[in-house]
Amino acid sequence: MRITGLFIYPIKSARGIALQSSEIDAFGLPGDRRAMITDPDGHFITQRELPDLARIAVQAAPSGLHLTMGDKKIDAQIRTASKRMGVSIWKSIVNAAVADDAANAELSAWLGREVRLVFFDQDAKRSASAEWAGEGTPVTFADGYQILVTTTGSLRALNADLEAHGEGQVGMERFRPNIILDTEEGWQEDRWAAIEIGGIRFDLVKPCARCIMTTQDQSTGSRDVPSPMPAMGRIRMSADRRVPGPLFGWNVTPRGTGRIAVGDTAKVIEERPEGCAFKVRDRG
């Protein structure tokens, strides 16, 4: 089993960047979800409510981020010392740095509503759920955990169900993973408690419940495309009340630091014999 894809998403809900290799630290992959778009009150905004975020491409810049949307460009500067605000992401409140006023004005014009671009800098603090990941595991603006792992075998299994019902196919980009592992069979990851890559232990701490973002084209934001939701509803609907909804992929917490690369071998070092609990679809 090997890594076939590595990705970061510098701005939460904007386009991802494919990598050949990456450092791993306590936060996951450096550069991943270190920025986020909010409303003026600091509440986070994602493709769930603003699909056009899928059209924003991002690159790192010396003092911030370089954003493009079609032929439009913004160089957003981090102003760590001079401007900060409290931003909310799910149940967390984070003291974040705010991009310069010119960048925020231009970004608001792009998106047709007033927004702010904020940064998770060295002064920002947030922790993943202690119930699932343990105490004191830091996380940036990801939905809840440091890394998302998916497998090629599971995508094939999902697409096989979609095709059997005449519903098309979807690509792995719909699930916005950080690490893609090549597997022959589907859903093997449900029984993994921990894997090792490059001498680093990664604990699979919680299955990932999926939302409407998986139904959107990750280049255009369009929802007029095949959706994985029907298949996930048939074969992946959680029966665990703590993780409601359809499941695809696993949230992972790293237990060490180092470097990983596409082509690296991943080894299962601890198993979860009980797997996941799923609802049985009524076929009557």
Side-chain angles (χ1 to χ4, degrees):
M1 180 169 64
R2 296 184 181 276
I3 296 177
T4 58
L6 284 175
F7 297 88
I8 58 171
Y9 307 85
I11 297 179
K12 184 178 181 67
S13 264
R15 290 182 184 175
I17 298 174
L19 306 175
Q20 285 301 305
S21 64
S22 175
E23 298 292 331
I24 298 294
D25 61 23
F27 289 95
L29 282 69
D32 185 52
R33 297 173 173 93
R34 299 297 176 99
M36 181 171 72
I37 293 171
T38 76
D39 65 19
D41 295 325
H43 185 269
F44 78 112
I45 299 172
T46 71
Q47 287 184 40
R48 299 173 185 90
E49 59 184 290
L50 196 57
D52 270 351
L53 294 182
R55 298 173 57 205
I56 298 177
V58 189
Q59 291 182 326
S63 57
L65 292 174
H66 180 70
L67 283 60
T68 59
M69 188 175 180
D71 59 358
K72 303 172 184 177
K73 299 178 182 180
I74 296 174
D75 284 309
Q77 307 295 313
I78 304 175
R79 303 180 65 181
T80 304
S82 60
K83 193 170 184 181
R84 306 187 69 81
M85 66 185 292
V87 300
S88 61
I89 171 171
W90 302 116
K91 296 180 180 180
S92 301
I93 303 295
V94 178
N95 179 20
V98 183
D100 61 283
D101 292 343
N104 282 326
E106 183 68 15
L107 187 58
S108 297
W110 285 9
L111 297 174
R113 59 182 287 187
E114 189 175 358
V115 298
R116 303 285 186 273
L117 177 64
V118 300
F119 296 93
F120 195 102
D121 65 357
Q122 67 271 16
D123 294 323
K125 300 289 187 290
R126 184 178 177 226
S127 294
S129 167
E131 176 186 359
W132 295 93
E135 295 286 348
T137 62
V139 66
T140 57
F141 289 136
D143 270 356
Y145 299 89
Q146 296 83 355
I147 294 171
L148 181 69
V149 169
T150 62
T151 69
T152 59
S154 293
L155 182 64
R156 283 193 297 272
L158 189 72
N159 276 325
D161 186 87
L162 285 170
E163 287 187 300
H165 290 84
E167 295 164 347
Q169 287 191 332
V170 297
M172 191 69 88
E173 74 281 354
R174 296 290 191 88
F175 303 98
R176 298 175 67 85
N178 295 114
I179 300 174
I180 303 173
L181 298 177
D182 187 31
T183 58
E184 292 186 6
E185 299 178 10
W187 322 124
Q188 291 175 279
E189 61 272 26
D190 289 344
R191 297 188 179 276
W192 303 342
I195 58 176
E196 183 180 292
I197 310 171
I200 308 167
R201 178 186 174 106
F202 297 86
D203 285 346
L204 284 74
V205 296
K206 187 181 181 183
C208 187
R210 310 314 303 219
C211 69
I212 195 172
M213 278 183 62
T214 63
T215 71
Q216 296 169 187
D217 184 289
Q218 288 301 301
S219 295
T220 66
S222 172
R223 293 175 183 166
D224 188 22
V225 289
S227 168
M229 281 294 186
M232 289 194 291
R234 286 186 290 266
I235 62 176
R236 296 291 295 174
M237 190 60 68
S238 173
D240 185 339
R241 293 182 180 180
R242 302 171 302 165
V243 195
L247 306 180
F248 189 96
W250 273 81
N251 293 296
V252 171
T253 296
R255 304 301 186 186
T257 61
R259 189 171 189 85
I260 63 174
V262 172
D264 281 357
T265 298
K267 178 174 63 175
V268 179
I269 58 173
E270 188 175 326
E271 295 189 342
R272 178 182 293 105
E274 70 277 13
C276 294
F278 293 98
K279 293 181 180 178
V280 177
R281 183 168 176 261
D282 183 2
R283 300 181 183 279

